[in-house]
Amino acid sequence: MTSLNTTSPPADPVQAYLDRGIKNYWYPVAPSWQVSNAPIGLTRLSEQIVLWRDQEGKVHALEDRCPHRGARLSLGWNLGNRVACWYHGIEVDGSGTVQSVPAVSACPLEGQKCVKSYPVEEHAGAIFLWFGDDAHKEPTPLALPDELVAPEYSQFLCVSNWKCNYQYAIDNVMDPMHGAYLHATSHSMAEGDKQADMRVRKTETGLMFEKVGQRDVNFDWVELGETGCLWMRLAIPYKKKFGPGGNFGIIGFAVPVDNDNCQVYFWRTRKVSGWQRDAWRFLYRNRLEGLHWAVLEQDRYVLESLAPNARQHEFLYQHDVGMTRVRRMLRQRGQQHFADLDAFKAKQTEAGAQASTGHAHA
Ligand code: FES
Ligand SMILES: [Fe+2]
């Protein structure tokens, strides 16, 4: 199926790279509940990945491709610290090393690390993988916003699959002004000015984009942070009847699936503890979750039906300055990726040349 807003393959290699998904970040790839006993296969950043959980509950992630003849490892069997291919039974461990080739004796494939493996961490009910390029195989430490990891916060994770490139999902969050229009009839965004001046300011980990002179009325600000992963934070004010905890926080991630699909992660957070936490969790499950889904569906509906190649035919104005800044920043990350790879390859060639000169003299 082709989606309406497919970006036709750009001639610009940086844009083509950005369309697939920016490397050298951690990304949430699945909610924790989705990975239990059987191996599962998924596509993220156009890469096919198999995930499974071992006896200790630790998640492993490999390229979803058997080294023998390319069968999907995700169709195979979970053997705890290994996964076995369904086709001819090859067993591969979490590091990507072939542990056993049961169909032949003493196969030279045994002991070889020939399947790509991904560093894995699990936090706040989601599984995060590191997508490093060749120059960044070792992961940067993953630091998540306090709302996801500090004990004084309570959160619910909401995951949704959208048929649009992930860059549209980032644009959408970096655009607070749509709250007063698209979500005008929602339970939380019916109030406040329909006009605003917006400004961008730098923060320690990224940038803040906010309305000048309006706070705590509608969707009035959004922050983007880069801390080993790319997250967005915003807060929606809540009336008293929606329970304790003050503003309602959202931490969002837009995760590339392929050029035409993404998966969005929105953690709904509140700073509540003790009985207030229980009250809020009860209220959320019974009343608020449905209302939030309705709001999120409005976003999905608009994004999935944007004009073809919408980003290439825009007239942007003052509200769009935050989004523009983020696009520029991501473009710099794309350029950096190519520069780092070039430097990495040059170093390797140099090391290779030195090694062969060494041999010649030996
Ligand atoms: S393709 Fe996997 S064992 Fe043959
Ligand atoms: Fe929205």
Side-chain angles (χ1 to χ4, degrees):
M1 197 184 115
T2 53
S3 96
L4 288 175
N5 52 1
T6 301
T7 17
S8 51
D12 168 13
V14 175
Q15 191 53 50
Y17 165 77
L18 293 177
D19 289 350
R20 271 171 76 97
I22 302 175
K23 300 274 183 97
N24 308 323
Y25 285 134
W26 290 88
Y27 287 97
V29 298
S32 294
W33 59 260
Q34 210 182 340
V35 185
S36 52
N37 189 36
I40 67 156
L42 39 82
T43 303
R44 300 288 179 264
L45 283 78
S46 295
E47 297 177 19
Q48 288 168 343
I49 302 163
V50 52
L51 299 175
W52 78 96
R53 209 180 269 281
D54 68 21
Q55 306 94 316
E56 273 84 53
K58 190 173 152 14
V59 176
H60 303 277
L62 297 177
E63 180 187 0
D64 193 5
R65 185 180 198 286
C66 177
H68 176 218
R69 283 184 38 223
R72 290 283 201 125
L73 290 171
S74 56
L75 297 177
W77 309 99
N78 179 351
L79 303 181
N81 61 355
R82 291 154 297 142
V83 68
C85 181
W86 191 22
Y87 210 8
H88 318 92
I90 279 189
E91 295 172 15
V92 187
D93 71 14
S95 73
T97 306
V98 175
Q99 289 296 347
S100 164
V101 182
V104 283
S105 63
C107 175
L109 206 52
E110 282 180 355
Q112 280 196 49
K113 191 170 179 317
C114 46
V115 182
K116 177 182 172 181
S117 73
Y118 295 80
V120 184
E121 288 192 22
E122 201 166 357
H123 303 279
I127 294 158
F128 290 77
L129 301 190
W130 169 255
F131 290 80
D133 61 24
D134 283 349
H136 302 86
K137 287 199 171 125
E138 279 306 307
T140 307
L142 170 62
L144 291 167
D146 271 0
E147 287 89 339
L148 299 195
V149 287
E152 59 269 30
Y153 286 94
S154 174
Q155 64 289 113
F156 290 95
L157 168 58
C158 155
V159 180
S160 187
N161 296 307
W162 288 358
K163 292 189 188 72
C164 67
N165 187 279
Y166 76 97
Q167 292 162 100
Y168 289 104
I170 295 180
D171 288 349
N172 181 60
V173 180
M174 292 314 299
D175 165 31
M177 207 59 214
H178 84 263
Y181 289 88
L182 180 63
H183 307 308
T185 56
S186 72
H187 63 297
S188 55
M189 285 175 271
E191 285 164 44
D193 281 344
K194 294 222 182 267
Q195 240 189 44
D197 277 336
M198 311 280 310
R199 70 168 166 230
V200 184
R201 71 182 154 85
K202 275 195 157 182
T203 62
E204 245 170 63
T205 57
L207 59 89
M208 172 75 93
F209 183 50
E210 59 201 347
K211 289 181 188 163
V212 179
Q214 178 171 301
R215 269 248 158 176
D216 297 341
V217 182
N218 198 296
F219 176 8
D220 294 327
W221 59 270
V222 58
E223 181 183 354
L224 178 113
E226 197 183 27
T227 55
C229 58
L230 202 61
W231 50 262
M232 293 170 288
R233 168 162 48 201
L234 58 110
I236 307 285
Y238 255 14
K239 302 206 178 79
K240 279 243 160 23
K241 67 173 179 184
F242 291 123
N247 284 354
F248 177 71
I250 295 180
I251 302 290
F253 287 80
V255 183
V257 171
D258 57 26
N259 278 23
D260 300 319
N261 292 278
C262 67
Q263 191 169 54
V264 291
Y265 287 70
F266 290 108
W267 274 270
R268 280 78 187 266
T269 72
R270 251 179 154 185
K271 199 171 188 176
V272 276
S273 50
W275 70 268
Q276 292 197 324
R277 171 176 302 204
D278 297 340
W280 179 62
R281 293 192 77 83
F282 180 80
L283 192 67
Y284 186 85
R285 279 288 184 227
N286 286 283
R287 239 184 86 53
L288 300 172
E289 191 168 24
L291 297 172
H292 283 292
W293 266 111
V295 171
L296 205 57
E297 283 298 281
Q298 295 172 330
D299 293 303
R300 186 178 68 79
Y301 194 71
V302 167
L303 295 184
E304 291 190 347
S305 56
L306 284 175
N309 301 317
R311 282 164 66 110
Q312 290 159 30
H313 308 276
E314 295 174 324
F315 289 96
L316 301 180
Y317 55 91
Q318 207 265 338
H319 301 150
D320 303 315
V321 54
M323 191 181 82
T324 311
R325 276 281 286 273
V326 170
R327 288 181 181 179
R328 201 186 311 150
M329 176 192 139
L330 299 184
R331 192 164 174 86
Q332 282 162 3
R333 299 296 174 272
Q335 288 158 340
Q336 192 63 47
H337 158 82
F338 285 105
D340 289 353
L341 271 189
D342 283 349
F344 176 78
K345 279 185 208 147
K347 226 177 178 176
Q348 271 195 326
T349 318
E350 198 181 305
Q354 266 172 12
S356 57
T357 334
H359 279 299
H361 289 301

